[in-house]
Amino acid sequence: MLSLRQSLSLNNIKTVGGSWQPSDETGLEAWYKFQARITLNGFAVSSWADSSSNSFDMIQLNASEQPDYNSGNIDFRASNTQHLQSVSDITLSGAFTIGIKLEPHVSNVAVLSSNTEPNEFFKITSDTNLRFKTDNNEVDLAIDSGTFVADLDLVITRNSSNLITLYVNGVAQADTETLAGTADINAIGVRRIDNNPYDGTISEIQIYDTESTALTANVNAYLAGL
């Protein structure tokens, strides 16, 4: 049984993605790793520490807003506004790559955002639509088929020309958009202030301040192997 405030460091449970690891990338900004660096308060998550070298640790001191830990997955309940938040911002002013393994239970939920700055978020707005909003501008990315309310690997990229591409389970979606601006991220599961709380599980998040074909392929393969 997991003891009170037990810290999990289960890096050796599973090797995925071949020999490649997110930490191989110089552009790694933050890495919330599956089953790793999680601190528990009983069966709830009080901290998901950053596995990069940048210390963007996501924490929650309010016990009622701490998500549950469930076999490696972090389970957020919207009814309790459960979320995790860093004391400092991850800022993405240029190209980026974001990989997320998640299973939303409903739509109209914030996945990654700033809980301190307005209009900075990645939000599943409907069963078929993901919205990226930054600097008070936004784009909507529609999936080719199926629904966001499912067990998914999502990769979102922005290249040097500000082209936004969404990958779902390793497949690039047809709907691409263009949006410049500096994306600010300091929260998992809500947007400012505690709005659109996420409902569902999140298992892994990787954030890079770079984009390339090789990186996108590696992130997709890594998520698929979890």
Side-chain angles (χ1 to χ4, degrees), residues 57-95:
D57 300 340
M58 294 287 180
I59 63 174
Q60 179 54 260
L61 300 179
N62 186 336
S64 68
E65 295 182 347
Q66 292 172 351
D68 293 330
Y69 183 78
N70 184 8
S71 303
N73 304 309
I74 298 181
D75 194 350
F76 297 79
R77 286 179 288 177
S79 59
N80 291 341
T81 321
Q82 293 177 343
H83 65 284
L84 301 169
Q85 187 168 334
S86 174
V87 297
S88 54
D89 288 352
I90 303 164
T91 57
L92 304 171
S93 58

PDB file of all heavy atoms in Angstrom, residues 57-95:
ATOM      1  N   ASP A  57       7.962  22.196 -11.599  1.00  0.00           N
ATOM      2  CA  ASP A  57       7.179  21.206 -10.861  1.00  0.00           C
ATOM      3  C   ASP A  57       5.726  21.657 -10.742  1.00  0.00           C
ATOM      4  O   ASP A  57       5.443  22.824 -10.444  1.00  0.00           O
ATOM      5  CB  ASP A  57       7.756  21.004  -9.469  1.00  0.00           C
ATOM      6  CG  ASP A  57       9.195  20.518  -9.497  1.00  0.00           C
ATOM      7  OD1 ASP A  57       9.629  19.978 -10.529  1.00  0.00           O
ATOM      8  OD2 ASP A  57       9.888  20.683  -8.473  1.00  0.00           O
ATOM      9  N   MET A  58       4.800  20.737 -10.950  1.00  0.00           N
ATOM     10  CA  MET A  58       3.370  21.017 -10.820  1.00  0.00           C
ATOM     11  C   MET A  58       2.899  20.522  -9.456  1.00  0.00           C
ATOM     12  O   MET A  58       3.056  19.336  -9.142  1.00  0.00           O
ATOM     13  CB  MET A  58       2.591  20.333 -11.942  1.00  0.00           C
ATOM     14  CG  MET A  58       2.882  20.878 -13.332  1.00  0.00           C
ATOM     15  SD  MET A  58       2.144  22.509 -13.568  1.00  0.00           S
ATOM     16  CE  MET A  58       2.648  22.866 -15.266  1.00  0.00           C
ATOM     17  N   ILE A  59       2.333  21.414  -8.657  1.00  0.00           N
ATOM     18  CA  ILE A  59       1.967  21.069  -7.295  1.00  0.00           C
ATOM     19  C   ILE A  59       0.521  21.469  -6.997  1.00  0.00           C
ATOM     20  O   ILE A  59      -0.074  22.263  -7.723  1.00  0.00           O
ATOM     21  CB  ILE A  59       2.910  21.732  -6.264  1.00  0.00           C
ATOM     22  CG1 ILE A  59       2.792  23.266  -6.343  1.00  0.00           C
ATOM     23  CG2 ILE A  59       4.344  21.294  -6.477  1.00  0.00           C
ATOM     24  CD1 ILE A  59       3.582  23.986  -5.270  1.00  0.00           C
ATOM     25  N   GLN A  60      -0.018  20.907  -5.918  1.00  0.00           N
ATOM     26  CA  GLN A  60      -1.336  21.297  -5.425  1.00  0.00           C
ATOM     27  C   GLN A  60      -1.332  21.103  -3.903  1.00  0.00           C
ATOM     28  O   GLN A  60      -1.283  19.977  -3.405  1.00  0.00           O
ATOM     29  CB  GLN A  60      -2.438  20.462  -6.066  1.00  0.00           C
ATOM     30  CG  GLN A  60      -3.839  20.792  -5.595  1.00  0.00           C
ATOM     31  CD  GLN A  60      -4.182  22.261  -5.750  1.00  0.00           C
ATOM     32  OE1 GLN A  60      -4.123  23.020  -4.787  1.00  0.00           O
ATOM     33  NE2 GLN A  60      -4.512  22.659  -6.978  1.00  0.00           N
ATOM     34  N   LEU A  61      -1.397  22.214  -3.178  1.00  0.00           N
ATOM     35  CA  LEU A  61      -1.362  22.164  -1.724  1.00  0.00           C
ATOM     36  C   LEU A  61      -2.744  21.978  -1.115  1.00  0.00           C
ATOM     37  O   LEU A  61      -2.864  21.530   0.025  1.00  0.00           O
ATOM     38  CB  LEU A  61      -0.712  23.434  -1.169  1.00  0.00           C
ATOM     39  CG  LEU A  61       0.738  23.688  -1.610  1.00  0.00           C
ATOM     40  CD1 LEU A  61       1.247  24.988  -1.000  1.00  0.00           C
ATOM     41  CD2 LEU A  61       1.641  22.524  -1.241  1.00  0.00           C
ATOM     42  N   ASN A  62      -3.775  22.333  -1.859  1.00  0.00           N
ATOM     43  CA  ASN A  62      -5.151  22.197  -1.381  1.00  0.00           C
ATOM     44  C   ASN A  62      -5.595  20.741  -1.567  1.00  0.00           C
ATOM     45  O   ASN A  62      -5.767  20.276  -2.697  1.00  0.00           O
ATOM     46  CB  ASN A  62      -6.060  23.142  -2.149  1.00  0.00           C
ATOM     47  CG  ASN A  62      -7.473  23.170  -1.615  1.00  0.00           C
ATOM     48  OD1 ASN A  62      -7.947  22.222  -0.979  1.00  0.00           O
ATOM     49  ND2 ASN A  62      -8.195  24.245  -1.897  1.00  0.00           N
ATOM     50  N   ALA A  63      -5.800  20.036  -0.470  1.00  0.00           N
ATOM     51  CA  ALA A  63      -6.098  18.599  -0.558  1.00  0.00           C
ATOM     52  C   ALA A  63      -7.345  18.312  -1.379  1.00  0.00           C
ATOM     53  O   ALA A  63      -7.404  17.304  -2.104  1.00  0.00           O
ATOM     54  CB  ALA A  63      -6.237  18.009   0.841  1.00  0.00           C
ATOM     55  N   SER A  64      -8.355  19.152  -1.289  1.00  0.00           N
ATOM     56  CA  SER A  64      -9.598  18.898  -2.020  1.00  0.00           C
ATOM     57  C   SER A  64      -9.428  19.062  -3.526  1.00  0.00           C
ATOM     58  O   SER A  64     -10.251  18.560  -4.293  1.00  0.00           O
ATOM     59  CB  SER A  64     -10.703  19.832  -1.519  1.00  0.00           C
ATOM     60  OG  SER A  64     -10.431  21.176  -1.874  1.00  0.00           O
ATOM     61  N   GLU A  65      -8.370  19.745  -3.949  1.00  0.00           N
ATOM     62  CA  GLU A  65      -8.128  19.968  -5.376  1.00  0.00           C
ATOM     63  C   GLU A  65      -7.002  19.098  -5.914  1.00  0.00           C
ATOM     64  O   GLU A  65      -6.550  19.291  -7.044  1.00  0.00           O
ATOM     65  CB  GLU A  65      -7.837  21.445  -5.629  1.00  0.00           C
ATOM     66  CG  GLU A  65      -9.035  22.343  -5.318  1.00  0.00           C
ATOM     67  CD  GLU A  65      -8.783  23.805  -5.609  1.00  0.00           C
ATOM     68  OE1 GLU A  65      -7.611  24.196  -5.823  1.00  0.00           O
ATOM     69  OE2 GLU A  65      -9.766  24.579  -5.627  1.00  0.00           O
ATOM     70  N   GLN A  66      -6.557  18.135  -5.122  1.00  0.00           N
ATOM     71  CA  GLN A  66      -5.519  17.217  -5.572  1.00  0.00           C
ATOM     72  C   GLN A  66      -6.138  16.066  -6.369  1.00  0.00           C
ATOM     73  O   GLN A  66      -7.055  15.400  -5.878  1.00  0.00           O
ATOM     74  CB  GLN A  66      -4.749  16.658  -4.373  1.00  0.00           C
ATOM     75  CG  GLN A  66      -3.911  17.699  -3.656  1.00  0.00           C
ATOM     76  CD  GLN A  66      -3.312  17.206  -2.359  1.00  0.00           C
ATOM     77  OE1 GLN A  66      -3.642  16.123  -1.874  1.00  0.00           O
ATOM     78  NE2 GLN A  66      -2.412  17.996  -1.785  1.00  0.00           N
ATOM     79  N   PRO A  67      -5.661  15.829  -7.577  1.00  0.00           N
ATOM     80  CA  PRO A  67      -6.186  14.695  -8.352  1.00  0.00           C
ATOM     81  C   PRO A  67      -5.749  13.373  -7.741  1.00  0.00           C
ATOM     82  O   PRO A  67      -4.817  13.311  -6.937  1.00  0.00           O
ATOM     83  CB  PRO A  67      -5.560  14.902  -9.740  1.00  0.00           C
ATOM     84  CG  PRO A  67      -4.325  15.691  -9.480  1.00  0.00           C
ATOM     85  CD  PRO A  67      -4.611  16.569  -8.294  1.00  0.00           C
ATOM     86  N   ASP A  68      -6.423  12.311  -8.138  1.00  0.00           N
ATOM     87  CA  ASP A  68      -6.121  10.975  -7.622  1.00  0.00           C
ATOM     88  C   ASP A  68      -5.035  10.297  -8.453  1.00  0.00           C
ATOM     89  O   ASP A  68      -4.869  10.592  -9.645  1.00  0.00           O
ATOM     90  CB  ASP A  68      -7.376  10.102  -7.633  1.00  0.00           C
ATOM     91  CG  ASP A  68      -8.421  10.587  -6.649  1.00  0.00           C
ATOM     92  OD1 ASP A  68      -8.046  11.158  -5.613  1.00  0.00           O
ATOM     93  OD2 ASP A  68      -9.618  10.405  -6.927  1.00  0.00           O
ATOM     94  N   TYR A  69      -4.323   9.381  -7.814  1.00  0.00           N
ATOM     95  CA  TYR A  69      -3.345   8.548  -8.513  1.00  0.00           C
ATOM     96  C   TYR A  69      -3.959   7.181  -8.753  1.00  0.00           C
ATOM     97  O   TYR A  69      -4.458   6.552  -7.820  1.00  0.00           O
ATOM     98  CB  TYR A  69      -2.067   8.418  -7.692  1.00  0.00           C
ATOM     99  CG  TYR A  69      -0.983   7.632  -8.392  1.00  0.00           C
ATOM    100  CD1 TYR A  69      -0.220   8.215  -9.393  1.00  0.00           C
ATOM    101  CD2 TYR A  69      -0.723   6.307  -8.059  1.00  0.00           C
ATOM    102  CE1 TYR A  69       0.766   7.505 -10.049  1.00  0.00           C
ATOM    103  CE2 TYR A  69       0.260   5.585  -8.696  1.00  0.00           C
ATOM    104  CZ  TYR A  69       1.005   6.189  -9.693  1.00  0.00           C
ATOM    105  OH  TYR A  69       1.974   5.472 -10.347  1.00  0.00           O
ATOM    106  N   ASN A  70      -3.904   6.718  -9.994  1.00  0.00           N
ATOM    107  CA  ASN A  70      -4.556   5.467 -10.357  1.00  0.00           C
ATOM    108  C   ASN A  70      -3.685   4.678 -11.323  1.00  0.00           C
ATOM    109  O   ASN A  70      -3.730   4.897 -12.525  1.00  0.00           O
ATOM    110  CB  ASN A  70      -5.922   5.746 -10.978  1.00  0.00           C
ATOM    111  CG  ASN A  70      -6.715   4.487 -11.290  1.00  0.00           C
ATOM    112  OD1 ASN A  70      -6.321   3.386 -10.925  1.00  0.00           O
ATOM    113  ND2 ASN A  70      -7.830   4.655 -11.981  1.00  0.00           N
ATOM    114  N   SER A  71      -2.853   3.804 -10.786  1.00  0.00           N
ATOM    115  CA  SER A  71      -2.029   2.894 -11.598  1.00  0.00           C
ATOM    116  C   SER A  71      -1.186   3.635 -12.633  1.00  0.00           C
ATOM    117  O   SER A  71      -1.083   3.226 -13.789  1.00  0.00           O
ATOM    118  CB  SER A  71      -2.909   1.855 -12.289  1.00  0.00           C
ATOM    119  OG  SER A  71      -3.664   1.125 -11.351  1.00  0.00           O
ATOM    120  N   GLY A  72      -0.570   4.719 -12.211  1.00  0.00           N
ATOM    121  CA  GLY A  72       0.292   5.479 -13.104  1.00  0.00           C
ATOM    122  C   GLY A  72      -0.387   6.644 -13.772  1.00  0.00           C
ATOM    123  O   GLY A  72       0.274   7.554 -14.259  1.00  0.00           O
ATOM    124  N   ASN A  73      -1.719   6.614 -13.817  1.00  0.00           N
ATOM    125  CA  ASN A  73      -2.471   7.716 -14.405  1.00  0.00           C
ATOM    126  C   ASN A  73      -2.885   8.701 -13.324  1.00  0.00           C
ATOM    127  O   ASN A  73      -3.174   8.310 -12.190  1.00  0.00           O
ATOM    128  CB  ASN A  73      -3.726   7.188 -15.109  1.00  0.00           C
ATOM    129  CG  ASN A  73      -3.392   6.153 -16.153  1.00  0.00           C
ATOM    130  OD1 ASN A  73      -2.546   6.364 -17.012  1.00  0.00           O
ATOM    131  ND2 ASN A  73      -4.047   5.004 -16.075  1.00  0.00           N
ATOM    132  N   ILE A  74      -2.936   9.974 -13.671  1.00  0.00           N
ATOM    133  CA  ILE A  74      -3.416  10.994 -12.746  1.00  0.00           C
ATOM    134  C   ILE A  74      -4.842  11.334 -13.150  1.00  0.00           C
ATOM    135  O   ILE A  74      -5.108  11.739 -14.280  1.00  0.00           O
ATOM    136  CB  ILE A  74      -2.488  12.214 -12.744  1.00  0.00           C
ATOM    137  CG1 ILE A  74      -1.094  11.775 -12.263  1.00  0.00           C
ATOM    138  CG2 ILE A  74      -3.049  13.317 -11.868  1.00  0.00           C
ATOM    139  CD1 ILE A  74      -0.077  12.870 -12.186  1.00  0.00           C
ATOM    140  N   ASP A  75      -5.755  11.151 -12.208  1.00  0.00           N
ATOM    141  CA  ASP A  75      -7.196  11.194 -12.477  1.00  0.00           C
ATOM    142  C   ASP A  75      -7.778  12.484 -11.893  1.00  0.00           C
ATOM    143  O   ASP A  75      -7.840  12.666 -10.676  1.00  0.00           O
ATOM    144  CB  ASP A  75      -7.856   9.968 -11.839  1.00  0.00           C
ATOM    145  CG  ASP A  75      -9.269   9.725 -12.340  1.00  0.00           C
ATOM    146  OD1 ASP A  75      -9.811  10.607 -13.025  1.00  0.00           O
ATOM    147  OD2 ASP A  75      -9.816   8.656 -12.046  1.00  0.00           O
ATOM    148  N   PHE A  76      -8.197  13.379 -12.793  1.00  0.00           N
ATOM    149  CA  PHE A  76      -8.731  14.679 -12.412  1.00  0.00           C
ATOM    150  C   PHE A  76     -10.264  14.633 -12.413  1.00  0.00           C
ATOM    151  O   PHE A  76     -10.866  14.108 -13.348  1.00  0.00           O
ATOM    152  CB  PHE A  76      -8.280  15.760 -13.404  1.00  0.00           C
ATOM    153  CG  PHE A  76      -6.802  15.980 -13.448  1.00  0.00           C
ATOM    154  CD1 PHE A  76      -5.957  15.116 -14.146  1.00  0.00           C
ATOM    155  CD2 PHE A  76      -6.235  17.080 -12.820  1.00  0.00           C
ATOM    156  CE1 PHE A  76      -4.588  15.337 -14.207  1.00  0.00           C
ATOM    157  CE2 PHE A  76      -4.869  17.311 -12.869  1.00  0.00           C
ATOM    158  CZ  PHE A  76      -4.040  16.434 -13.561  1.00  0.00           C
ATOM    159  N   ARG A  77     -10.858  15.227 -11.383  1.00  0.00           N
ATOM    160  CA  ARG A  77     -12.312  15.332 -11.314  1.00  0.00           C
ATOM    161  C   ARG A  77     -12.715  16.806 -11.394  1.00  0.00           C
ATOM    162  O   ARG A  77     -12.347  17.610 -10.536  1.00  0.00           O
ATOM    163  CB  ARG A  77     -12.839  14.702 -10.028  1.00  0.00           C
ATOM    164  CG  ARG A  77     -12.809  13.175 -10.042  1.00  0.00           C
ATOM    165  CD  ARG A  77     -13.319  12.601  -8.749  1.00  0.00           C
ATOM    166  NE  ARG A  77     -12.351  12.814  -7.677  1.00  0.00           N
ATOM    167  CZ  ARG A  77     -12.550  12.465  -6.407  1.00  0.00           C
ATOM    168  NH1 ARG A  77     -13.688  11.903  -6.042  1.00  0.00           N
ATOM    169  NH2 ARG A  77     -11.633  12.679  -5.494  1.00  0.00           N
ATOM    170  N   ALA A  78     -13.490  17.125 -12.419  1.00  0.00           N
ATOM    171  CA  ALA A  78     -13.889  18.521 -12.627  1.00  0.00           C
ATOM    172  C   ALA A  78     -14.751  19.043 -11.492  1.00  0.00           C
ATOM    173  O   ALA A  78     -14.716  20.236 -11.164  1.00  0.00           O
ATOM    174  CB  ALA A  78     -14.633  18.655 -13.954  1.00  0.00           C
ATOM    175  N   SER A  79     -15.523  18.169 -10.862  1.00  0.00           N
ATOM    176  CA  SER A  79     -16.432  18.598  -9.806  1.00  0.00           C
ATOM    177  C   SER A  79     -15.692  19.205  -8.621  1.00  0.00           C
ATOM    178  O   SER A  79     -16.259  20.009  -7.863  1.00  0.00           O
ATOM    179  CB  SER A  79     -17.286  17.420  -9.334  1.00  0.00           C
ATOM    180  OG  SER A  79     -16.464  16.372  -8.839  1.00  0.00           O
ATOM    181  N   ASN A  80     -14.414  18.838  -8.451  1.00  0.00           N
ATOM    182  CA  ASN A  80     -13.600  19.372  -7.361  1.00  0.00           C
ATOM    183  C   ASN A  80     -12.545  20.362  -7.843  1.00  0.00           C
ATOM    184  O   ASN A  80     -11.669  20.751  -7.070  1.00  0.00           O
ATOM    185  CB  ASN A  80     -12.916  18.239  -6.597  1.00  0.00           C
ATOM    186  CG  ASN A  80     -13.896  17.402  -5.806  1.00  0.00           C
ATOM    187  OD1 ASN A  80     -15.011  17.837  -5.526  1.00  0.00           O
ATOM    188  ND2 ASN A  80     -13.498  16.199  -5.458  1.00  0.00           N
ATOM    189  N   THR A  81     -12.617  20.747  -9.139  1.00  0.00           N
ATOM    190  CA  THR A  81     -11.632  21.664  -9.746  1.00  0.00           C
ATOM    191  C   THR A  81     -10.212  21.169  -9.480  1.00  0.00           C
ATOM    192  O   THR A  81      -9.314  21.954  -9.148  1.00  0.00           O
ATOM    193  CB  THR A  81     -11.809  23.107  -9.228  1.00  0.00           C
ATOM    194  OG1 THR A  81     -13.199  23.398  -9.099  1.00  0.00           O
ATOM    195  CG2 THR A  81     -11.203  24.118 -10.185  1.00  0.00           C
ATOM    196  N   GLN A  82      -9.996  19.882  -9.643  1.00  0.00           N
ATOM    197  CA  GLN A  82      -8.678  19.320  -9.373  1.00  0.00           C
ATOM    198  C   GLN A  82      -7.694  19.725 -10.464  1.00  0.00           C
ATOM    199  O   GLN A  82      -7.991  19.622 -11.658  1.00  0.00           O
ATOM    200  CB  GLN A  82      -8.778  17.801  -9.260  1.00  0.00           C
ATOM    201  CG  GLN A  82      -9.577  17.366  -8.036  1.00  0.00           C
ATOM    202  CD  GLN A  82      -9.757  15.868  -7.956  1.00  0.00           C
ATOM    203  OE1 GLN A  82      -9.578  15.143  -8.926  1.00  0.00           O
ATOM    204  NE2 GLN A  82     -10.142  15.385  -6.784  1.00  0.00           N
ATOM    205  N   HIS A  83      -6.535  20.209 -10.036  1.00  0.00           N
ATOM    206  CA  HIS A  83      -5.520  20.647 -10.984  1.00  0.00           C
ATOM    207  C   HIS A  83      -4.168  20.721 -10.296  1.00  0.00           C
ATOM    208  O   HIS A  83      -4.070  20.651  -9.070  1.00  0.00           O
ATOM    209  CB  HIS A  83      -5.876  22.005 -11.591  1.00  0.00           C
ATOM    210  CG  HIS A  83      -5.899  23.130 -10.606  1.00  0.00           C
ATOM    211  ND1 HIS A  83      -6.932  23.328  -9.712  1.00  0.00           N
ATOM    212  CD2 HIS A  83      -5.003  24.126 -10.358  1.00  0.00           C
ATOM    213  CE1 HIS A  83      -6.686  24.395  -8.968  1.00  0.00           C
ATOM    214  NE2 HIS A  83      -5.511  24.897  -9.331  1.00  0.00           N
ATOM    215  N   LEU A  84      -3.129  20.887 -11.090  1.00  0.00           N
ATOM    216  CA  LEU A  84      -1.764  21.056 -10.606  1.00  0.00           C
ATOM    217  C   LEU A  84      -1.202  22.330 -11.221  1.00  0.00           C
ATOM    218  O   LEU A  84      -1.539  22.679 -12.360  1.00  0.00           O
ATOM    219  CB  LEU A  84      -0.898  19.853 -10.986  1.00  0.00           C
ATOM    220  CG  LEU A  84      -1.364  18.494 -10.461  1.00  0.00           C
ATOM    221  CD1 LEU A  84      -0.583  17.362 -11.136  1.00  0.00           C
ATOM    222  CD2 LEU A  84      -1.192  18.404  -8.944  1.00  0.00           C
ATOM    223  N   GLN A  85      -0.323  23.017 -10.473  1.00  0.00           N
ATOM    224  CA  GLN A  85       0.151  24.317 -10.953  1.00  0.00           C
ATOM    225  C   GLN A  85       1.595  24.546 -10.537  1.00  0.00           C
ATOM    226  O   GLN A  85       2.005  24.184  -9.433  1.00  0.00           O
ATOM    227  CB  GLN A  85      -0.744  25.429 -10.408  1.00  0.00           C
ATOM    228  CG  GLN A  85      -0.440  26.804 -10.974  1.00  0.00           C
ATOM    229  CD  GLN A  85      -1.523  27.812 -10.629  1.00  0.00           C
ATOM    230  OE1 GLN A  85      -2.686  27.443 -10.402  1.00  0.00           O
ATOM    231  NE2 GLN A  85      -1.174  29.081 -10.613  1.00  0.00           N
ATOM    232  N   SER A  86       2.350  25.186 -11.428  1.00  0.00           N
ATOM    233  CA  SER A  86       3.739  25.539 -11.169  1.00  0.00           C
ATOM    234  C   SER A  86       3.831  26.975 -10.667  1.00  0.00           C
ATOM    235  O   SER A  86       2.988  27.821 -10.999  1.00  0.00           O
ATOM    236  CB  SER A  86       4.562  25.385 -12.456  1.00  0.00           C
ATOM    237  OG  SER A  86       5.884  25.856 -12.276  1.00  0.00           O
ATOM    238  N   VAL A  87       4.866  27.271  -9.910  1.00  0.00           N
ATOM    239  CA  VAL A  87       5.063  28.634  -9.426  1.00  0.00           C
ATOM    240  C   VAL A  87       5.666  29.530 -10.491  1.00  0.00           C
ATOM    241  O   VAL A  87       5.680  30.753 -10.343  1.00  0.00           O
ATOM    242  CB  VAL A  87       5.964  28.655  -8.164  1.00  0.00           C
ATOM    243  CG1 VAL A  87       5.294  27.896  -7.037  1.00  0.00           C
ATOM    244  CG2 VAL A  87       7.338  28.067  -8.464  1.00  0.00           C
ATOM    245  N   SER A  88       6.166  28.945 -11.573  1.00  0.00           N
ATOM    246  CA  SER A  88       6.743  29.731 -12.662  1.00  0.00           C
ATOM    247  C   SER A  88       6.182  29.256 -13.991  1.00  0.00           C
ATOM    248  O   SER A  88       5.659  28.148 -14.106  1.00  0.00           O
ATOM    249  CB  SER A  88       8.274  29.640 -12.657  1.00  0.00           C
ATOM    250  OG  SER A  88       8.692  28.289 -12.680  1.00  0.00           O
ATOM    251  N   ASP A  89       6.284  30.119 -14.999  1.00  0.00           N
ATOM    252  CA  ASP A  89       5.684  29.852 -16.304  1.00  0.00           C
ATOM    253  C   ASP A  89       6.652  29.187 -17.271  1.00  0.00           C
ATOM    254  O   ASP A  89       7.825  29.573 -17.346  1.00  0.00           O
ATOM    255  CB  ASP A  89       5.211  31.159 -16.951  1.00  0.00           C
ATOM    256  CG  ASP A  89       3.991  31.746 -16.288  1.00  0.00           C
ATOM    257  OD1 ASP A  89       3.408  31.076 -15.415  1.00  0.00           O
ATOM    258  OD2 ASP A  89       3.620  32.874 -16.641  1.00  0.00           O
ATOM    259  N   ILE A  90       6.143  28.221 -18.020  1.00  0.00           N
ATOM    260  CA  ILE A  90       6.806  27.731 -19.227  1.00  0.00           C
ATOM    261  C   ILE A  90       6.383  28.664 -20.356  1.00  0.00           C
ATOM    262  O   ILE A  90       5.188  28.864 -20.578  1.00  0.00           O
ATOM    263  CB  ILE A  90       6.385  26.289 -19.546  1.00  0.00           C
ATOM    264  CG1 ILE A  90       6.691  25.371 -18.365  1.00  0.00           C
ATOM    265  CG2 ILE A  90       7.046  25.792 -20.823  1.00  0.00           C
ATOM    266  CD1 ILE A  90       5.968  24.032 -18.423  1.00  0.00           C
ATOM    267  N   THR A  91       7.321  29.267 -21.055  1.00  0.00           N
ATOM    268  CA  THR A  91       6.990  30.213 -22.123  1.00  0.00           C
ATOM    269  C   THR A  91       7.502  29.676 -23.453  1.00  0.00           C
ATOM    270  O   THR A  91       8.669  29.302 -23.582  1.00  0.00           O
ATOM    271  CB  THR A  91       7.584  31.603 -21.855  1.00  0.00           C
ATOM    272  OG1 THR A  91       9.007  31.503 -21.704  1.00  0.00           O
ATOM    273  CG2 THR A  91       6.998  32.198 -20.577  1.00  0.00           C
ATOM    274  N   LEU A  92       6.611  29.640 -24.424  1.00  0.00           N
ATOM    275  CA  LEU A  92       6.927  29.123 -25.761  1.00  0.00           C
ATOM    276  C   LEU A  92       6.662  30.240 -26.763  1.00  0.00           C
ATOM    277  O   LEU A  92       5.533  30.458 -27.178  1.00  0.00           O
ATOM    278  CB  LEU A  92       6.072  27.894 -26.059  1.00  0.00           C
ATOM    279  CG  LEU A  92       6.173  26.742 -25.057  1.00  0.00           C
ATOM    280  CD1 LEU A  92       5.124  25.684 -25.356  1.00  0.00           C
ATOM    281  CD2 LEU A  92       7.573  26.135 -25.065  1.00  0.00           C
ATOM    282  N   SER A  93       7.709  30.955 -27.152  1.00  0.00           N
ATOM    283  CA  SER A  93       7.539  32.119 -28.024  1.00  0.00           C
ATOM    284  C   SER A  93       7.699  31.788 -29.502  1.00  0.00           C
ATOM    285  O   SER A  93       7.266  32.563 -30.359  1.00  0.00           O
ATOM    286  CB  SER A  93       8.538  33.220 -27.646  1.00  0.00           C
ATOM    287  OG  SER A  93       9.866  32.741 -27.733  1.00  0.00           O
ATOM    288  N   GLY A  94       8.299  30.668 -29.797  1.00  0.00           N
ATOM    289  CA  GLY A  94       8.520  30.279 -31.181  1.00  0.00           C
ATOM    290  C   GLY A  94       7.997  28.887 -31.454  1.00  0.00           C
ATOM    291  O   GLY A  94       6.887  28.523 -31.056  1.00  0.00           O
ATOM    292  N   ALA A  95       8.822  28.098 -32.141  1.00  0.00           N
ATOM    293  CA  ALA A  95       8.428  26.722 -32.441  1.00  0.00           C
ATOM    294  C   ALA A  95       8.274  25.924 -31.149  1.00  0.00           C
ATOM    295  O   ALA A  95       8.943  26.185 -30.144  1.00  0.00           O
ATOM    296  CB  ALA A  95       9.471  26.069 -33.340  1.00  0.00           C
TER     297      ALA A  95
END
